[in-house]
Amino acid sequence: MSPHPRVVVAGGIGSGKSTVIGVLSELGWSVINADEVGHEVLMDPEVIEAVAARWPRAVTDGEVSRSALAAVVFADPGELFTLEGITHPLIAGRIESWVDSVAEPLAVEVSVLKVANPGWGPLVIVHAAKSVRRERALERGMKAADVEARMAAQPTDAELLAAANVVIDNQGTVEDLVESVRRFDLWARSR
């Protein structure tokens, strides 16, 4: 067990998880992004084979098209569940292999709570109202239908807040969020 803080950072789409992770990184934390690990997992030959068998249109020239796959799985909770059964064990296993080797504070960013292991540390939820998150996602160039599909596939605000050990509010400005993360960093390092 590391003497350094370990946390899992989560929140709905557009909540500001990536900004929080970026600030923590600037403050000397190591970070692991589960989505990036998931992208790597989608390049694994066995995963490509499993995806091709289930969703043949999501694989072209031996590569998984994340956008084609997302269009299918975010439209159908059963298909998303199937994909998670293929990828989540591999994602969690890869993260697990890194967690204990990090010798400084560590934050694991997850978009899907199911992939997080409680042994990785307390759950920090970055929270913003659904309307604020929707607006941010649209400003990043996402299509409205895609934003709604992603939000529908994620836990509700109430579920996220109920699971949280710590909540970082992100209803205000980026400067407000940065200051909140700095306060969190001081608190986490003092425990």
Side-chain angles (χ1 to χ4, degrees), residues 85-107:
I86 296 167
T87 60
H88 283 186
L90 295 171
I91 294 168
R94 288 184 185 191
I95 292 171
E96 191 70 38
S97 69
W98 295 326
V99 166
D100 290 334
S101 67
V102 175
E104 56 265 336
L106 173 67

Side-chain angles (χ1 to χ4, degrees), residues 7-12 14-25 27 29 106-109 122-129 132-133 136 157 160-188:
V7 297
V8 175
V9 178
S15 63
K17 295 181 302 294
S18 296
T19 302
V20 168
I21 288 295
V23 174
L24 288 174
S25 178
L27 294 171
W29 290 61
L106 173 67
V108 179
E109 179 185 2
L123 180 60
V124 176
I125 294 295
V126 183
H127 178 261
V132 172
R133 295 187 294 112
R136 288 176 182 159
D157 287 350
L160 288 171
L161 293 173
N165 298 104
V166 175
V167 176
I168 295 178
D169 183 74
N170 187 18
Q171 311 273 23
T173 66
V174 172
E175 292 77 16
D176 294 336
L177 180 59
V178 168
E179 184 55 35
S180 293
V181 176
R182 289 182 184 282
R183 285 193 306 272
F184 168 76
D185 172 59
L186 292 173
W187 173 82

Side-chain angles (χ1 to χ4, degrees), residues 1-146:
M1 186 72 171
S2 172
H4 301 286
R6 301 270 190 265
V7 297
V8 175
V9 178
I13 188 171
S15 63
K17 295 181 302 294
S18 296
T19 302
V20 168
I21 288 295
V23 174
L24 288 174
S25 178
E26 290 172 9
L27 294 171
W29 290 61
S30 286
V31 298
I32 298 171
N33 181 314
D35 283 348
E36 290 176 9
V37 176
H39 297 168
E40 292 171 12
V41 163
L42 287 176
M43 292 186 274
D44 181 291
E46 291 180 18
V47 172
I48 294 169
E49 185 178 319
V51 169
R54 178 69 180 217
W55 307 283
R57 292 185 179 164
V59 178
T60 305
D61 296 328
E63 292 185 9
V64 175
S65 165
R66 292 193 340 252
S67 59
L69 186 58
V72 173
V73 301
F74 288 116
D76 183 331
E79 297 301 311
L80 180 59
F81 181 79
T82 300
L83 177 63
E84 290 171 346
I86 296 167
T87 60
H88 283 186
L90 295 171
I91 294 168
R94 288 184 185 191
I95 292 171
E96 191 70 38
S97 69
W98 295 326
V99 166
D100 290 334
S101 67
V102 175
E104 56 265 336
L106 173 67
V108 179
E109 179 185 2
V110 299
S111 295
V112 181
L113 291 180
K114 292 179 257 184
V115 94
N117 179 328
W120 300 345
L123 180 60
V124 176
I125 294 295
V126 183
H127 178 261
K130 192 172 185 177
S131 59
V132 172
R133 295 187 294 112
R134 181 182 296 110
E135 183 178 320
R136 288 176 182 159
L138 291 171
E139 286 173 358
R140 289 193 320 229
M142 289 187 72
K143 295 178 182 172
D146 292 340

